[in-house]
Amino acid sequence: AGGANVGGIVGAAYYTTLGEQMSIAHCTNTAAINGRGVAGGIVGLSAASVQDCPNTETATVTSNNFSVGGIVGEHQN
């Protein structure tokens, strides 16, 4: 099983420079994700703009946490 912030592309992407925007774009996850905390098919914990990033039907996402998503497990601003 994975750690606290698990994603198919990025585990955690939540530190941004004031006035700037982080972007995760044009990527695909095809692997199953299994976390012990926040888990997402593309990114686990995110404050980024996620665009054009599919999580394929074979890439199941599971966790023992309530913050689980096919694309983003938990999004913060």
Side-chain angles (χ1 to χ4, degrees):
N5 298 315
V6 180
I9 304 298
V10 179
Y14 56 92
Y15 292 113
T16 58
T17 302
L18 186 62
E20 299 292 325
Q21 182 175 356
M22 185 182 334
S23 182
I24 300 169
H26 313 294
C27 50
T28 302
N29 177 45
T30 59
I33 304 300
N34 183 8
R36 292 187 312 241
V38 176
I42 300 300
V43 59
L45 179 59
S46 177
S49 169
V50 180
Q51 301 172 355
D52 190 30
C53 294
N55 187 45
T56 64
E57 62 189 43
T58 59
T60 58
V61 181
T62 58
S63 177
N64 63 0
N65 192 296
F66 58 87
S67 297
V68 179
I71 303 297
V72 176
E74 181 178 326
H75 190 81
Q76 299 181 352
N77 56 2

